[in-house]
Amino acid sequence: MNSIFTITLKELRSYFTSPIAYVVFTMFLVLSGYFFSVILFISKEASFRGAASNIIITLLFLMPLITMRMFSEERKMGTLELLMTKPVRDIEVMLGKFLAAAILFITMLASTLVYIFILTKYGNPDMGPIWSAYLGILLCGLSFIALGIFASTLTENQIIAAVIGFALVLLLWVMSWISGNLGEVDSELLSYISLSTHLEGFVKGVINLKDVVYYLSFIVFWLFVSVKSIEIRKWK
Amino acid sequence: MIKASKLTKKYGTKAAIQDVSFNIDKGEVVGFLGPNGAGKTTTMRILTGYIPPTSGKVEIGGLDVFDDSLEVRRKLGYLPENTPLYLDMDVEVFLKYIAALKKVSTDKRSNHVSKIMKVCGIDNVRQSTIKTLSKGYKQRVGIAQALIGNPEYLILDEPTIGLDPKQIIEIRELIKSLAEDKTIILSTHILPEVSMTCSRVIIIAEGKIVAEDTPNNLENRLSGVAKVLLTVKGPGEEISSKLKEISGVKRVNIEKTQASDLVDLEVASQKDVDIRGQLAQAVVQNNWDLLEMRREVLGLEEIFLKLTTKE
């Protein structure tokens, strides 16, 4: 357990010794601020719904940049060997890194609470859908992280890790688009797999247990695959 | 004690190492010697549990490296090839991170890290970012991280590669000073290193162990002959046949005939007999001029070449 936090702390520190975290954080604030204010101007409605959908798209682009270096850099620098020959379990390393990215993401997301504060100050928003939207974005964002970490276990090259991560996330995001044109079973399956379909409820203000379970199992699945991907050296 | 039995590692169909077995007792400093690509790093990675062997097994301190991996890793200090380090971290912060991973308790961590930095001579750069350090210092930081947690076993993969001669001597001294209470395996392709730091040498070539002994014994065993090199002024063939008559001489080769009737000869004899006196006498008695004479014993360098190169 302690090893997880040790690794989390180290990862967080290295986020802020490189410019990546600052740049991603800033760009996230710029974009989400823009979406929030523009949508507010146009709709003149004290709601977070429009902004929420756009924030998640912003994250879809930015999250692979947060996760791209997690394992690819360790592999490139050879430090993976240093790390994996210490008395830590592979799963601890994985969770430590996941937690670090999660903390960075949650901090980013928490800073958008300012918008909610503005809404409550000048309007009278319905808080229920706002909190459920936040929960949805949180779960969906953590799923992006899990998938991004998997991408970074595949290669030594950070750029490639980011591209693969982004492609995988986007693919799973739009998976449901095709569902209307296929048979009944396939359609249901594809829209179940798709990351975006499960977010709709949250944004509308409906917390469905099925959706929560989907995101949680998505995260667990990709972290598990990532651990296996790190262990692949042992099977070669 | 480290016990490796019949280690084989195959990548595809190509074997990186084949049937490598050895035992290393507590307190030994063993040098793993071999040319590049001989399988040193593969062996080290298997010893540390980073990769499993295709077949065979390793026991360290009675524990299987794979079945009791965490327990073994706790007792093991490892410096991987090319000294990988987190370049963006400060030296002290990095070592404290490693200490935390090695489960050094929080209250002892600062003290422990300071002590190791002193031993490795890096306490003057404790605040520096690792990437700003010179190669020699980076190497010390690498060794320092291996020492964290007082491991009983140290495995160092090419600890002196890429250093300048002064740094090499310093690192060697450091390793020697550590040898007192630790079992150390170090790999190298630099020969003097082995004779200076190790109590035993394992020579590996093309994935197989080709020799295993103390540096001295290896020299003795493999260099049954001593060579005397002579430069004489006189007729080559005649000198050669005269020298052959001396007892103890095994063979005489004419190395090359230089201009103005100078001859270089190589005289091989048994190792324990010194025939230089007789050689000199023979030359002088025949009224030739003895210009130069020196005795050569086969060094580790030649033994190494002999063992690791195919004829």
Side-chain angles (χ1 to χ4, degrees), chain B residues 142-157:
Chain B
I143 293 177
Q145 67 80 26
L147 290 175
I148 297 272
N150 277 330
E152 292 167 51
Y153 304 93
L154 265 188
I155 297 182
L156 309 171
D157 201 349

Side-chain angles (χ1 to χ4, degrees), chain B residues 184-202:
Chain B
I184 304 177
I185 303 183
L186 60 91
S187 81
T188 177
H189 58 261
I190 307 161
L191 292 147
E193 198 137 285
V194 166
S195 42
M196 272 174 225
T197 44
C198 303
S199 55
R200 195 148 63 94
V201 194
I202 295 173

Side-chain angles (χ1 to χ4, degrees), chain B residues 79 83 119-122 124-125 132-141 143 156 158-177 190 193 196-197:
Chain B
L79 173 68
T83 322
V119 171
C120 297
I122 50 172
N124 52 331
V125 293
T132 64
L133 298 178
S134 69
K135 181 100 181 131
Y137 269 112
K138 278 183 194 152
Q139 205 68 28
R140 283 156 187 256
V141 174
I143 293 177
L156 309 171
E158 310 216 324
T160 58
I161 197 166
L163 300 183
D164 68 35
K166 188 165 165 282
Q167 293 167 329
I168 290 181
I169 292 169
E170 287 167 357
I171 297 288
R172 256 182 225 155
E173 291 300 321
L174 176 59
I175 292 172
K176 260 194 232 171
S177 72
I190 307 161
E193 198 137 285
M196 272 174 225
T197 44

Side-chain angles (χ1 to χ4, degrees), chain A residues 179-196:
Chain A
S179 62
N181 301 314
L182 291 170
E184 192 83 3
V185 183
D186 297 337
S187 293
E188 221 165 282
L189 184 72
L190 284 177
S191 75
Y192 181 77
I193 289 174
S194 179
L195 278 162
S196 52

Side-chain angles (χ1 to χ4, degrees), chain A residues 3 74 81 84 86-87 233, chain B residues 45 50 73 78 86 103:
Chain A
S3 302
E74 299 253 18
E81 190 171 353
M84 292 311 191
K86 299 287 174 281
R233 65 170 196 276
Chain B
R45 284 185 170 163
Y50 183 63
R73 281 187 254 169
Y78 177 40
Y86 293 105
K103 316 277 195 281

Side-chain angles (χ1 to χ4, degrees), chain B residues 154-294:
Chain B
L154 265 188
I155 297 182
L156 309 171
D157 201 349
E158 310 216 324
T160 58
I161 197 166
L163 300 183
D164 68 35
K166 188 165 165 282
Q167 293 167 329
I168 290 181
I169 292 169
E170 287 167 357
I171 297 288
R172 256 182 225 155
E173 291 300 321
L174 176 59
I175 292 172
K176 260 194 232 171
S177 72
L178 296 172
E180 282 168 22
D181 56 347
K182 292 188 196 307
T183 308
I184 304 177
I185 303 183
L186 60 91
S187 81
T188 177
H189 58 261
I190 307 161
L191 292 147
E193 198 137 285
V194 166
S195 42
M196 272 174 225
T197 44
C198 303
S199 55
R200 195 148 63 94
V201 194
I202 295 173
I203 298 182
I204 183 169
E206 287 173 5
K208 287 180 187 137
I209 291 181
V210 288
E212 188 185 341
D213 216 327
T214 63
N216 277 339
N217 278 354
L218 266 186
E219 276 177 57
N220 288 336
R221 205 176 77 198
L222 288 149
S223 55
V225 286
K227 284 188 295 188
V228 180
L229 298 171
L230 296 163
T231 307
V232 182
K233 193 174 183 180
E237 290 301 323
E238 207 177 315
I239 300 170
S240 163
S241 61
K242 270 273 184 277
L243 294 184
K244 270 180 195 156
E245 288 164 17
I246 299 168
S247 71
V249 171
K250 278 183 161 175
R251 77 192 129 82
V252 180
N253 293 330
I254 298 178
E255 286 281 283
K256 56 179 183 247
T257 311
Q258 297 173 345
S260 67
D261 60 6
L262 284 185
V263 194
D264 286 340
L265 299 121
E266 187 192 276
V267 182
S269 72
Q270 251 120 22
K271 190 172 184 243
D272 38 0
V273 202
D274 194 349
I275 53 161
R276 279 177 294 184
Q278 284 127 290
L279 287 177
Q281 266 178 8
V283 172
V284 174
Q285 273 165 10
N286 287 290
N287 284 325
W288 300 312
D289 294 336
L290 181 58
L291 299 179
E292 199 187 329
M293 173 157 70
R294 84 197 127 89

